[in-house]
Amino acid sequence: MPPRHSLPEALLTTLSTSRGRADRLTHTEHLPARPARYSPWPDSIRPEIVAAAADVGVEQPWAHQAEAMNLAKSGQTVVIATGTASGKSLGYLAPVLSDLLEGTEARNGRGATALYLAPTKALAADQRRRAAELAPPRVRAALYDGDTPPEEREWVRQYASYVLTNPDMLHRGILPAHARWSSFLKVLRYVVVDECHSYRGVFGSHVAQVLRRLRRLCARYGSSPTFLLASATTADPAVTARRLTGLPAVAVTDDASPRGPMVFGLWEPPLTENVGEHGAPVRRTATTEAAHLLTDLVERQTRTVVFVRSRRAAELVALQTQDQLGRPLADRVAAYRGGYLADERRALERDLHSGRLLGLASTSALELGVDISGLDAVLMAGYPGTRASLWQQAGRAGREAQGALAILIARDDPLDTYLVHHPEALFSTPVEATVLDPDNPHVLAPHLCAAAAELPLTDADLELFGPSTAPLLPVLERRGLLRRRTDGSWYWTRRERAADAVDLRGSGGSPVQIVEADTGRLLGTVDAAAAHTTVHTGAVHLHQGRTYLVRELDLEDSVALVEPADPPYTTAARDITSISVLDTDTTVHWGEGRLSFGSVEVVNQVVGYLRKRISTGEIMGESKLDLPPRALRTRAVWWSVTEDQLLDADLPLDRLPGAAHAAEHASIGLLPLFATCDRWDIGGVSVPLHPDTGLPTVFVYDGHPGGAGFAERGFQRAVEWLTATREAIASCECERGCPSCVQSPKCGNGNDPLDKTAAVRLLDVLLAGAPGAAPAAGPAADPGGGTPAGS
């Protein structure tokens, strides 16, 4: 076992120079240590809490914790946005538990209550244990989620003072039954919203409306709770908190917790001999590379977690590492993911803490709050989607004053490739803001129905729910969902529960159930919006490491019937998409070019699917499908250039389709760098001559009804976004386009046509007219041909 002082610099050197890996480490960043800064306990914190904190090793709070405590006790909405393992929990628990302790002195023992919201059940369970460490048993903390037995639920409603739940349960279980929760709500003192950076996009917009419904019911029962939010480090945390809660917020961002030095490596897996679509080179997968690095780290007794993007990848990394290690070291490597029983997860966490486990391959289940800090190294198999998540994951490595190693391993993807060659985008750029849009009418409308079912809506509620409310109410009345009484109040008109019509995590439509045809066993569900492309007839479907073929997709009954199979191929849907501009909010002239933002309608139809050989990506055949078109009204950003600009750039019209298509793919891949989204949250269309603009135009749109705020962020950051897109294409070492630059894993046209060289020229033309534009820099792409086919 190497001495601890050899970590992490010597370890990174060893990893990068052994086994022919010399060219894989693209950048090394050294992050200095940071000493702790302490503050006295605020006078408002009860001595019982101070004593309990001392018992678990906290003699004095860090300065940012004390600041948050003081703000909370003054009744202000507070968001604590500091790094991993910076003690955010103590910052909100101390004031909450102090008030709850005072509440136990009331006649009924419940003179004050608090509600805690977490995005996952595991995090809520973890927080209940922390509360139990700091507060005497007379502060009754209880979980209230889908796993809570019916007999316990009644006890929680009547007696618990600190209820830990999730937004889904608040939306479906508490708010519609508010009369039964009246004794809890009327003395509700605090609402804690943990890991609030995870509430983004459509999900975040739904949660924002759930919190507004909660505030409305609290006012009905005479309470006005203080909201306390905890977040990873993000840009504009106070703005995010205000959008989520509807209340002005104060941000605590000056992290006073200690941190040991960290060495952060950026790593690019090598190209393999395999080729993909159209002969494009293919890199070794990030998960395979992570398994090799984890093997080396475990052999050196280095306690390591690998973060991966999927449950299946977690299992694969663990299995590959175990195979390479052999016994007995293989027994010290495991996988950790959602879907495991709570006891299994706790056992893995204990084994990691104790040192029995040296290697763990995990999904982001370990990113959100579960206490596993104190590792020697963290590997990230693929960029986790946001800089906030990147620093959350990297922060799991390192103990006080001890060095730590973090390595980001790039996937074969434009964004990952860009980042490992542009370290300033990670280390010299602020983390992104959380994007959500509570005023999205597609989100707001069902929550207005749910609110009306809870209490009739009045004019006094218009300001609470936002500016889209007033015009929406008559629309809901015309649909027969709400009815206006003579007193001016709006009532819910149906027998069914209004809350059941809202899926906080979905995008509308009944989820499609995936059922094993021969047994009738339910394997899982898929969102209605994704069903056409993922569980169409003939699709290959993976579930818990097993492969199935979709025998039939029944859209009428929302069921996909599948059967076990082991085909030598994967499937990829082929589709056709058209887009029309409904309304243009803003247009900015970039020289002769134009950049616009507004509302669009996207009509998509899946028309067939490709079968690709697993080992090589080779196309084995294509089958046709007869599925109905789907229409989506959403928000988009789009840009256009003129024919004169194309002539000036020496870009022939026959290469324009491939240029626009390639630029569209790469821009979709890079938008997550500027908006908190995944490439699967957004879509794009490129048209050599669009009927609504009369010009060659590239659209990027939100993949959710009404929009999610991602395209708008792209519009706001367009110069940086499209400059990064140009650089990602130009700097890629392939000749004609590959998954690292312009090929997309979800392209409905089989990544044809794509013209890498022409895409760089097209973006140069556009960016030359951008505000503050400088002459284009960087290498030009190698020559490559496009085809005259449409995108």
Side-chain angles (χ1 to χ4, degrees), residues 141-385:
L143 292 171
Y144 191 82
D145 58 32
D147 296 336
T148 306
E151 62 274 14
E152 283 186 31
R153 293 186 183 194
E154 187 59 34
W155 183 91
V156 173
R157 278 193 290 267
Q158 291 189 19
Y159 302 109
S161 50
Y162 189 36
V163 174
L164 300 101
T165 186
N166 51 64
D168 311 79
M169 198 67 179
L170 175 61
H171 159 64
R172 290 181 183 274
I174 296 177
L175 299 182
H178 61 88
R180 302 177 70 189
W181 285 85
S182 58
S183 65
F184 179 88
L185 292 172
K186 71 181 181 182
V187 290
L188 185 61
R189 194 75 57 85
Y190 291 103
V191 177
V192 177
V193 185
D194 205 356
E195 304 291 352
C196 68
H197 62 280
S198 64
Y199 300 125
R200 62 180 189 257
V202 169
F203 178 42
S205 303
H206 276 298
V207 172
Q209 292 300 345
V210 170
L211 294 180
R212 283 158 175 76
R213 285 164 49 202
L214 172 63
R215 288 176 51 208
R216 178 172 177 259
L217 290 175
C218 286
R220 161 70 175 78
Y221 291 107
S223 65
S224 179
T226 298
F227 282 77
L228 308 179
L229 301 92
S231 170
T233 305
T234 63
D236 303 324
V239 173
T240 299
R242 180 176 54 76
R243 285 182 179 159
L244 268 175
T245 64
L247 296 165
V250 180
V252 175
T253 58
D254 186 9
D255 193 337
S257 63
R259 183 185 67 193
M262 174 178 281
V263 172
F264 203 129
L266 303 183
W267 192 281
E268 185 173 44
L271 291 169
T272 66
E273 295 178 356
N274 297 327
V275 294
E277 287 186 270
H278 311 297
V282 175
R283 291 191 182 278
R284 178 187 282 181
T285 67
T287 50
T288 298
E289 193 78 353
H292 282 278
L293 291 174
L294 181 59
T295 300
D296 285 3
L297 289 165
V298 170
E299 286 177 342
R300 288 167 173 78
Q301 304 288 305
T302 307
R303 201 176 304 175
T304 307
V305 163
V306 181
F307 284 106
V308 295
R309 296 291 297 266
S310 70
R311 295 180 177 187
R312 186 179 183 216
E315 302 282 2
L316 285 174
V317 169
L319 284 172
Q320 289 176 6
T321 304
Q322 289 166 348
D323 288 345
Q324 292 166 31
L325 285 169
R327 297 288 181 269
L329 277 178
D331 294 331
R332 303 184 69 180
V333 174
Y336 181 109
R337 59 172 177 77
Y340 286 177
L341 298 177
D343 289 346
E344 293 174 314
R345 289 198 305 269
R346 299 294 167 249
L348 287 168
E349 291 162 23
R350 284 194 302 271
D351 287 346
L352 193 63
H353 271 301
S354 68
R356 194 200 74 76
L357 270 184
L358 285 172
L360 199 63
S362 173
T363 60
S364 59
L366 277 181
E367 177 189 326
L368 293 178
V370 179
D371 186 11
I372 59 147
S373 54
L375 301 166
D376 298 314
V378 165
L379 305 177
M380 290 162 277
Y383 181 60

Side-chain angles (χ1 to χ4, degrees), residues 53 133 167 287 583 664 717 758:
E133 289 177 344
T287 50
D583 185 51
E664 171 215 323
R717 303 283 300 277

Side-chain angles (χ1 to χ4, degrees), residues 256-595:
S257 63
R259 183 185 67 193
M262 174 178 281
V263 172
F264 203 129
L266 303 183
W267 192 281
E268 185 173 44
L271 291 169
T272 66
E273 295 178 356
N274 297 327
V275 294
E277 287 186 270
H278 311 297
V282 175
R283 291 191 182 278
R284 178 187 282 181
T285 67
T287 50
T288 298
E289 193 78 353
H292 282 278
L293 291 174
L294 181 59
T295 300
D296 285 3
L297 289 165
V298 170
E299 286 177 342
R300 288 167 173 78
Q301 304 288 305
T302 307
R303 201 176 304 175
T304 307
V305 163
V306 181
F307 284 106
V308 295
R309 296 291 297 266
S310 70
R311 295 180 177 187
R312 186 179 183 216
E315 302 282 2
L316 285 174
V317 169
L319 284 172
Q320 289 176 6
T321 304
Q322 289 166 348
D323 288 345
Q324 292 166 31
L325 285 169
R327 297 288 181 269
L329 277 178
D331 294 331
R332 303 184 69 180
V333 174
Y336 181 109
R337 59 172 177 77
Y340 286 177
L341 298 177
D343 289 346
E344 293 174 314
R345 289 198 305 269
R346 299 294 167 249
L348 287 168
E349 291 162 23
R350 284 194 302 271
D351 287 346
L352 193 63
H353 271 301
S354 68
R356 194 200 74 76
L357 270 184
L358 285 172
L360 199 63
S362 173
T363 60
S364 59
L366 277 181
E367 177 189 326
L368 293 178
V370 179
D371 186 11
I372 59 147
S373 54
L375 301 166
D376 298 314
V378 165
L379 305 177
M380 290 162 277
Y383 181 60
T386 65
R387 286 183 290 272
S389 288
L390 179 91
W391 292 112
Q392 281 281 98
Q393 293 181 0
R396 292 299 177 195
R399 281 165 274 187
E400 239 177 90
Q402 179 193 296
L405 173 65
I407 301 176
L408 171 63
I409 306 165
R411 289 177 302 156
D412 207 359
D413 170 272
L415 179 54
D416 286 38
T417 303
Y418 178 83
L419 290 172
V420 295
H421 291 286
H422 293 79
E424 70 281 358
L426 291 176
F427 302 114
S428 303
T429 305
V431 290
E432 53 279 283
T434 302
V435 176
L436 64 148
D437 179 16
D439 296 323
N440 178 343
H442 294 266
V443 170
L444 175 58
H447 285 285
L448 291 176
C449 292
E454 289 153 9
L455 287 174
L457 288 164
T458 68
D459 288 344
D461 297 318
L462 297 182
E463 184 178 352
L464 173 67
F465 286 105
S468 299
T469 305
L472 265 180
L473 292 173
V475 174
L476 295 172
E477 184 178 32
R478 287 195 295 272
R479 291 182 190 167
L481 298 172
L482 297 182
R483 184 169 68 246
R484 195 166 199 185
R485 296 275 178 89
T486 53
D487 63 358
S489 300
W490 300 85
Y491 286 75
W492 173 244
T493 62
R494 305 288 182 90
R495 286 187 174 183
E496 61 267 26
R497 285 172 25 120
D500 291 341
V502 189
D503 177 9
L504 299 192
R505 299 172 192 262
S507 56
S510 301
V512 173
Q513 296 187 316
I514 303 168
V515 176
E516 194 169 32
D518 295 336
T519 66
R521 184 167 64 103
L522 178 65
L523 298 180
T525 60
V526 63
D527 289 343
H532 286 215
T533 54
T534 58
V535 289
H536 55 75
T537 301
V540 173
H541 175 71
L542 293 174
H543 179 75
Q544 292 188 350
R546 296 182 180 175
T547 307
Y548 297 84
L549 271 179
V550 180
R551 183 188 294 178
E552 180 189 359
L553 172 59
D554 185 337
L555 293 173
E556 193 170 321
D557 293 331
S558 294
V559 172
L561 296 174
V562 302
E563 57 193 14
D566 189 22
Y569 58 83
T570 60
T571 51
R574 297 289 304 270
D575 59 13
I576 53 175
T577 303
S578 62
I579 191 166
S580 54
V581 176
L582 300 176
D583 185 51
T584 304
D585 290 11
T586 313
T587 294
V588 179
H589 287 275
W590 284 16
E592 292 181 45
R594 291 186 305 208
L595 178 80

